[in-house]
Amino acid sequence: MTRPWQQYLCDACGYLYDEALGDPNSGLAPGTRFEDIPDDWVCPLCGVTKADFRLYEPPCLDTLKAEAAAREGTAWTSRREAPGVVIVGAGLAGWSVAEALRARDAEVPITLVSACQGDLYDKPLLSVAVARGLAPEALVKESGQDAARRLNVRLLAQTHAIRIDAPRQRLRTTRGNLPYRQLVLAHGAEAGLVPGLSGDTCWRINHLAEYQRLRARLQDSHQDIAIVGAGLIGSELANDLALGGHRITLLDCENEPLAAWRAQQAGPQLLAAWHNLPIRFLGGVQVAQVCREPVEAGARPRYRIDTRCGQSLVADQVIAATGLKTPTRLAESAGLAWDQGIVVDPATMGSSQAAIYALGDCTSVGGQVSRFIEPIRRQAQTLAAALCGQPPVPYEPRPAVVRVKTTTHPLTLHASAA
């Protein structure tokens, strides 16, 4: 009999290599077995090697239910009506917890609260999709509804978490109060705005829905785009949109892009690689204001960017890539310890309040926040073990290897522990 197709998970970014689909962009035809992939093949999302992949086996609910019934001598029944685990956030962190928890416990009720539709997608693709010719709608790997059915999760899409009533163990949402036995905060961080920028004059590309709206605005013509912030995301977006034919002005208060990695000469390498692309870098400047230009009726709006040193430029679109900040509202409502993010114990990912846990971008471990993808799945395993009362699987911060997905000149950089 033909061996079933298998999937392999990238431990660094969560990319799934499916043997049935292959990776045509890298020369791997559909049906290429993982063992037949050359050793020098790299992850198409983050650039790690084949050695960083492991066999992926999604939780099988039927098997878990049968095991539970055998242990208890009774038929498996849903306990959806009982307070269970409530997860806030349907990004990689939220779904990783749901999957890790379901792999350990088929019965625990799980409710996932999402401000968006909760669809599953690879966030790193947002900054390389144009170069790879990917349509925005093609970025969704699995709809939120399908994932919820697969994992037997109650998904509350388009629902905002308002505050936490820690003493009563209730989460207040725009759909009412949710009782919880354990609460997991996986809401991530949000794109920040520096003085001079406002939400009504610039894009903040930190999730799929906003990216899809930007791509829809760009699809009819090649445009002038100003990107404020030349860090990791700003540089990747500049590279990607320039390859799509758009004219890019990249601004930063530092004198070179990727200034956080100045010691590794990342900026000069990138500027040299961009020599033939329509990218203009303006370093050492700060934005004073962004104003909408007067336009005739029916014309596309344009924006004027004024810098504090007196320069001005006009663009069709302005993108803010000025870093991330962790929302404080939920943490403050529960009185959680805070240090640039929710302080968690790496042994359990538990917060300073009993029954409240957190992982991903919204957390702080040893005074350090992490904005990288790789730690999330390890944190989810730590958290799932704690929620199930099983032997601990402590999370250990590691020095992060950062893959800069500037396809014109990909870079591998090193950051602090994450």
Side-chain angles (χ1 to χ4, degrees):
M1 295 179 62
T2 302
R3 180 157 55 97
W5 300 117
Q6 294 181 311
Q7 295 179 322
Y8 290 80
L9 177 72
C10 174
D11 278 327
C13 72
Y15 170 78
L16 274 178
Y17 174 77
D18 190 323
E19 292 181 332
L21 302 177
D23 179 22
N25 289 334
S26 301
L28 303 181
T32 301
R33 294 291 186 182
F34 187 77
E35 61 263 29
D36 296 329
I37 297 176
D39 289 338
D40 60 356
W41 175 79
V42 298
C43 174
L45 282 189
C46 69
V48 300
T49 65
K50 177 182 173 182
D52 293 294
F53 280 72
R54 59 181 170 83
L55 181 65
Y56 172 74
E57 296 179 351
C60 177
L61 288 181
D62 290 339
T63 300
L64 290 169
K65 293 173 186 177
E67 291 174 352
R71 286 195 305 269
E72 300 176 10
T74 58
W76 183 91
T77 57
S78 174
R79 299 183 305 179
R80 190 178 290 272
E81 70 281 356
V85 178
V86 174
I87 303 170
V88 179
L92 175 63
W95 283 115
S96 293
V97 171
E99 185 161 304
L101 183 57
R102 188 56 79 215
R104 294 170 179 268
D105 190 332
E107 299 180 72
V108 60
I110 302 174
T111 299
L112 197 152
V113 178
S114 173
C116 61
Q117 292 292 346
D119 296 336
L120 281 73
Y121 66 97
D122 293 316
K123 184 176 280 191
L125 282 178
L126 298 186
S127 54
V128 295
V130 173
R132 296 189 180 178
L134 297 174
E137 60 273 13
L139 298 178
V140 176
K141 296 194 302 184
E142 184 179 19
S143 73
Q145 291 182 343
D146 288 343
R149 281 191 290 268
R150 173 170 59 86
L151 295 171
N152 190 29
V153 167
R154 178 190 180 196
L155 173 64
L156 298 182
Q158 301 294 340
T159 303
H160 294 267
I162 305 300
R163 68 182 305 274
I164 300 168
D165 184 346
R168 297 183 181 181
Q169 295 194 191
R170 294 191 307 185
L171 175 71
R172 181 183 174 189
T173 78
T174 49
R175 292 196 184 186
N177 291 324
L178 290 176
Y180 63 82
R181 188 180 74 196
Q182 293 144 324
L183 177 66
V184 177
L185 300 180
H187 52 67
E190 59 189 12
L193 290 175
V194 297
L197 299 179
S198 63
D200 59 350
T201 57
C202 64
W203 298 90
R204 288 177 284 177
I205 309 303
N206 193 42
H207 54 76
L208 179 61
E210 185 79 347
Y211 178 77
Q212 290 175 327
R213 288 191 286 269
L214 172 63
R215 285 285 297 274
R217 191 73 63 85
L218 296 176
Q219 67 182 358
D220 59 343
S221 64
H222 293 161
Q223 299 184 27
D224 295 305
I225 302 175
I227 301 177
V228 182
L232 183 64
I233 300 303
S235 295
E236 290 181 348
L237 285 172
N239 185 95
D240 197 50
L241 295 173
L243 290 173
H246 301 287
R247 299 170 294 274
I248 310 299
T249 300
L250 182 61
L251 305 92
D252 200 275
C253 58
E254 299 288 347
N255 290 319
E256 60 186 59
L258 299 176
W261 291 276
R262 183 178 281 110
Q264 300 174 53
Q265 293 293 303
Q269 292 183 59
L270 211 50
L271 290 174
W274 285 343
H275 180 70
N276 293 319
L277 287 180
I279 299 176
R280 177 174 61 139
F281 176 69
L282 293 181
V285 300
Q286 292 180 302
V287 174
Q289 63 176 353
V290 178
C291 303
R292 191 186 297 263
E293 289 274 271
V295 294
E296 298 179 0
R300 182 171 58 207
R302 285 171 66 83
Y303 301 90
R304 188 184 78 249
I305 300 100
D306 297 324
T307 70
R308 293 186 181 181
C309 58
Q311 299 184 66
S312 292
L313 61 130
V314 176
D316 298 300
Q317 312 292 339
V318 180
I319 299 175
T322 49
L324 298 174
K325 65 176 183 178
T326 306
T328 61
R329 182 178 61 191
L330 291 179
E332 289 177 347
S333 69
L336 303 183
W338 183 271
D339 185 358
Q340 303 181 75
I342 300 168
V343 174
V344 294
D345 178 355
T348 62
M349 302 307 292
S351 74
S352 59
Q353 285 277 10
I356 300 179
Y357 300 76
L359 80 163
D361 289 355
C362 65
T363 61
S364 172
V365 178
Q368 296 291 321
V369 295
S370 171
R371 306 301 193 197
F372 304 114
I373 288 177
E374 184 275 329
I376 289 176
R377 292 186 182 275
R378 292 190 289 120
Q379 293 174 351
Q381 293 298 328
T382 298
L383 211 158
L387 294 180
C388 294
Q390 296 176 353
V393 183
Y395 165 66
E396 297 179 1
R398 302 172 183 168
V401 177
V402 181
R403 317 288 177 173
V404 186
K405 297 176 295 301
T406 44
T407 53
T408 304
H409 185 68
L411 295 167
T412 298
L413 306 173
H414 299 275
S416 57

